[in-house]
Amino acid sequence: MRVAQLLLIVMSGLVLAGCPKKPQTVPEGQTSEQAGTTDTEGSLDSDVSGSPLSAEQAAMEEARRAGTIVYFDYDRAEIKPEFVSVVAAHAKYLNGDAGRRVRLEGHSDERGSREYNIGLGERRAQAVRRALMLQGVTEAQITTVSYGEERPATQGSDESAYSKNRRVELVYGR
Amino acid sequence: MMKTVYRAAWCALFLLASHGASAQLVIEITRGQEDAVPIAIVPFGWESTGAAPFDVAEVVAADLQRSGRFAPLDRKDMIDRPTRGDQIRFQDWRYLKSDFIAVGRLTPEGSDRFAAEFELYNVLTGQRLTGQRLAATGSSMRALAHRISDIIFEQLTGIRGAFSTRIAFITVDGTPPQQRYRLIVADADGENQQVIANSSEPLMSPAWSPDGQSLAYVSFENKASAIYIQTLRTGERSRVSARAGINGAPAWSPDGSTLALTLSRKDGDVDVYTLKLSSQTLTRMSFDPGIDTEPTWSADGRKLYYMSDRAGGPQIYEVNVDQPNRATRVTFEGGYNARPRLSPDGKQLAVVHLDRGNFRIATVDLASKAVQVLTEGRQDESPSFAPNGATLIYATQDRGRGVLATVTTDGRVQQKLATSTGDVREPAWSPFPPESRSRQ
């Protein structure tokens, strides 16, 4: 019994060790302004000190500064005016190289039923997808997934938590 | 396409069947029935040497207490401990105000095998109502006790007991973004917990097969949703849907041949489909551009009920599976009715209903359309009927944590199933086990 349990623990450790790194999500309390540091392979980080920016680097820098999260109102999937520029910055970056891929992760707050919230998260991810495609990003560059309320950015049952959880995250490099 | 057993490396997911791997559920009755029937479940005699191997009466008394319909007599008030009918002095039990009394005894039957005999009497009339002899091995004594509870419950209420059933649910531990999700199956009283699946990515929407042998569920283990079917006894698992977009809300047809499920495909239109498991034939069941999801079947397998927000807020619609393009709206009261589950008698739907700003569990009578709100929480969700239709289990919040609770379908008895840590959610009550039908 003991040995079997130990073996299981060791095995599960090995399984976990073999897994790709989890994408970083936005830490609690950060705003969308600060959130543009999703640090994975092919990230938007760039060293811009000194030399003048190429158009390419400028797009990268703009997307990085715009942030990687679009927030939504309760039960809504329209992109709010303050996030139009966020989506535009990412469209510009993606248009710079047809090989760039973005993953749109749709989320909802915890209110209401879970599978309906999966639908709401999908609707939000699709809204961002459509906005990107209207600005020239190709279908092949975008994948979407909805997590509904299953992966909140922050815990809590008040409007401040809810507003951080109703979001689409733009994730690069996977 | 053949159904394929999915054997790829389960990254961040491993399956195991172990006991006691998570916190125990502790049941607390939050609202009891005032006219609960007083009953005495006398500790069983042990017809051998040493200590009795199991306390059958304790489990039976706890089951009956949990139903809310019975008030078992406290052991310390028992002035006598008869173990057979001819030893009962009815006068004494009338004095203790018990309406019914169950007595019994346990005898060894070879190695690790025991027989339990019990009898149920009406204290007022002295009449013997039922009695049975059941046998079990040492490790299945709890199951034997639950069968006795089923027999007593059915004898006294006319309703088949659901004490031998199980519940599946999801637990979540840790804080975002580092959370661990587990799919767990336990006995209806919260005992005998087994971890069915365990992942660092979300697990959702467990659904029992009609034979109670398998669970369908949603897992995000590959960073996208997919529906799996897992046989509980063997752990064998197959992936039945991993299409682009949403793969969610699985629900088995009553004959077990087909899953209703939600897909969004490439275009992102969230609709209900049926998937025939043997042939992988997919048939679309809803055609609206809105969100259509959370399907549940009628008992004859000819209709589906599902949630759609085509009229603005979520409401329940009904559709004949042979004419899926002709859906009719079922719910009209309130601006939010979602996650329908049909009662075993087919007469009502349990739904998540927005009631003055709070999400609560309500039943909708399909004939009269009358809505009855059963719960008092702020964020109650995921109702699931016991297979006898007498009780609903659902998820609620208690001091910021997700917990499970039950309510009788008449709203009179409520209980919370508390755990020490983490969130518990998405309960699904199993069907009756085939062997538990009581024999008279």
Side-chain angles (χ1 to χ4, degrees):
Chain A
M1 186 64 188
R2 272 269 165 75
V3 176
Q5 276 177 348
L6 194 70
L7 205 69
L8 202 72
I9 292 164
V10 171
M11 270 164 47
S12 59
L14 289 175
V15 171
L16 287 170
C19 291
K21 258 216 186 81
K22 219 176 142 121
Q24 279 191 359
T25 43
V26 187
E28 205 170 321
Q30 282 197 355
T31 67
S32 61
E33 288 304 310
Q34 301 163 296
T37 50
T38 303
D39 190 19
T40 48
E41 184 197 335
S43 79
L44 303 174
D45 292 330
S46 61
D47 182 8
V48 294
S49 59
S51 57
L53 297 176
S54 67
E56 185 75 341
Q57 284 172 314
M60 191 187 289
E61 174 64 10
E62 201 183 320
R64 192 187 68 79
R65 266 190 288 115
T68 56
I69 305 187
V70 177
Y71 293 94
F72 293 83
D73 285 338
Y74 174 60
D75 210 12
R76 310 302 300 182
E78 292 87 28
I79 295 168
K80 296 195 277 183
E82 61 264 46
F83 294 103
V84 168
S85 61
V86 177
V87 176
H90 286 274
K92 204 165 163 188
Y93 174 67
L94 286 160
N95 285 335
D97 181 347
R100 289 185 185 136
R101 298 277 183 274
V102 68
R103 176 178 148 96
L104 307 176
E105 300 182 348
H107 301 268
S108 74
D109 67 33
E110 67 177 12
R111 286 175 290 178
S113 73
R114 290 178 179 277
E115 286 283 0
Y116 180 46
N117 284 337
I118 290 282
L120 274 179
E122 176 72 15
R123 191 181 268 171
R124 286 174 181 147
Q126 290 293 334
V128 174
R129 176 174 175 264
R130 266 193 303 278
L132 289 172
M133 285 172 66
L134 282 171
Q135 293 168 68
V137 181
T138 63
E139 198 175 335
Q141 289 177 277
I142 309 170
T143 57
T144 62
V145 62
S146 174
Y147 286 106
E149 63 179 284
E150 307 303 316
R151 280 184 55 176
T154 181
Q155 266 170 337
S157 295
D158 52 26
E159 183 48 38
S160 112
Y162 294 158
S163 63
K164 290 192 186 79
N165 291 333
R166 292 188 300 262
R167 68 201 194 278
V168 169
E169 298 191 18
L170 295 94
V171 181
Y172 288 93
R174 280 183 305 132
Chain B
M1 195 167 65
M2 286 289 292
K3 182 171 81 174
T4 54
V5 178
Y6 185 69
R7 292 188 195 282
W10 295 329
C11 249
L13 183 128
F14 45 97
L15 307 169
L16 54 142
S18 64
H19 290 271
S22 62
Q24 288 296 306
L25 291 174
V26 180
I27 290 155
E28 163 199 336
I29 297 181
T30 47
R31 185 166 76 204
Q33 192 169 326
E34 279 167 18
D35 55 356
V37 175
I39 187 169
I41 311 294
V42 182
F44 278 33
W46 168 235
E47 309 206 316
S48 185
T49 53
F54 190 79
D55 192 339
V56 175
E58 185 182 39
V59 173
V60 174
D63 281 346
L64 295 175
Q65 170 109 37
R66 219 162 13 89
S67 77
R69 293 166 192 261
F70 294 94
L73 182 68
D74 201 318
R75 271 186 192 186
K76 66 179 188 322
D77 296 330
M78 294 180 187
I79 47 178
D80 189 15
R81 297 200 168 182
T83 61
R84 14 180 120 240
D86 57 16
Q87 298 169 347
I88 303 171
R89 290 194 302 267
F90 290 103
Q91 205 65 289
D92 294 351
W93 300 96
R94 273 175 225 144
Y95 177 75
L96 290 168
K97 295 196 163 49
S98 285
D99 289 357
F100 300 96
I101 183 171
V103 297
R105 59 212 168 272
L106 210 53
T107 43
E109 273 202 335
S111 72
D112 195 43
R113 201 166 167 81
F114 306 92
E117 283 177 81
F118 81 97
E119 297 166 275
L120 176 68
Y121 285 82
N122 182 324
V123 170
L124 297 177
T125 63
Q127 188 195 359
R128 184 180 185 274
L129 300 174
T130 189
Q132 265 193 45
R133 184 174 190 281
L134 303 139
T137 59
S139 60
S140 51
M141 292 305 285
R142 288 197 77 85
L144 178 145
H146 291 317
R147 289 218 307 280
I148 293 174
S149 305
D150 285 337
I151 295 162
I152 293 173
F153 186 84
E154 182 163 356
Q155 179 68 38
L156 297 180
T157 65
I159 301 166
R160 189 171 172 187
F163 303 109
S164 299
T165 56
R166 288 176 293 170
I167 45 175
F169 51 90
I170 305 286
T171 66
V172 186
D173 293 294
T175 49
Q178 300 293 326
Q179 294 192 288
R180 181 140 291 277
Y181 302 79
R182 290 183 181 86
L183 169 59
I184 289 174
V185 168
D187 291 350
D189 61 359
E191 298 287 331
N192 281 332
Q193 290 192 20
Q194 285 188 294
V195 179
I196 303 304
N198 179 342
S199 176
S200 61
E201 299 292 329
L203 298 171
M204 284 182 79
S205 303
W208 289 92
S209 63
D211 64 4
Q213 303 294 308
S214 305
L215 283 171
Y217 60 91
V218 175
S219 170
F220 284 78
E221 66 200 62
N222 290 329
K223 310 272 184 194
S225 60
I227 297 173
Y228 295 83
I229 289 175
Q230 189 167 329
T231 306
L232 298 184
R233 197 174 49 79
T234 62
E236 188 195 12
R237 196 169 86 126
S238 58
R239 192 172 69 177
V240 294
S241 185
R243 294 167 171 83
I246 296 172
N247 297 271
W252 298 78
S253 64
D255 66 3
S257 71
T258 306
L259 278 189
L261 75 172
T262 300
L263 302 173
S264 65
R265 316 300 295 270
K266 255 203 143 66
D267 62 0
D269 187 5
V270 184
D271 279 303
V272 174
Y273 293 76
T274 56
L275 177 69
K276 200 161 174 55
L277 292 169
S278 58
S279 61
Q280 284 274 320
T281 311
L282 203 59
T283 311
R284 192 164 172 177
M285 287 288 137
S286 73
F287 299 88
D288 189 83
I291 295 172
D292 300 328
T293 185
E294 302 174 339
T296 185
W297 296 80
S298 64
D300 63 7
R302 291 164 71 175
K303 278 193 254 183
L304 285 172
Y305 296 88
Y306 63 87
M307 183 233 90
S308 173
D309 67 355
R310 64 188 61 176
Q315 296 292 346
I316 311 302
Y317 292 75
E318 176 190 315
V319 78
N320 192 321
V321 292
D322 297 326
Q323 291 178 298
N325 50 350
R326 289 170 60 181
T328 53
R329 184 166 163 180
V330 174
T331 52
F332 293 92
E333 196 175 320
Y336 192 112
N337 291 292
R339 237 306 292 260
R341 286 294 181 270
L342 194 65
S343 62
D345 67 5
K347 290 181 177 163
Q348 51 185 7
L349 290 174
V351 297
V352 175
H353 175 79
L354 189 60
D355 177 41
R356 289 161 293 170
N358 299 295
F359 293 97
R360 288 175 176 161
I361 307 306
T363 52
V364 180
D365 186 278
L366 288 171
S368 70
K369 305 283 189 266
V371 172
Q372 189 190 0
V373 177
L374 298 177
T375 65
E376 293 154 352
R378 212 163 71 85
Q379 238 168 130
D380 300 342
E381 60 184 23
S382 307
S384 174
F385 278 99
N388 65 4
T391 308
L392 280 161
I393 192 164
Y394 62 98
T396 185
Q397 294 214 337
D398 184 27
R399 282 155 284 183
R401 283 223 328 267
V403 299
L404 304 186
T406 62
V407 61
T408 51
T409 39
D410 59 11
R412 291 168 77 178
V413 183
Q414 280 185 1
Q415 295 169 351
K416 261 185 192 139
L417 288 73
T419 50
S420 48
T421 57
D423 271 317
V424 189
R425 56 175 70 153
E426 294 203 86
W429 210 313
S430 79
F432 283 119
E435 73 277 15
S436 85
R437 182 80 226 180
S438 58
R439 298 161 302 270
Q440 293 289 318

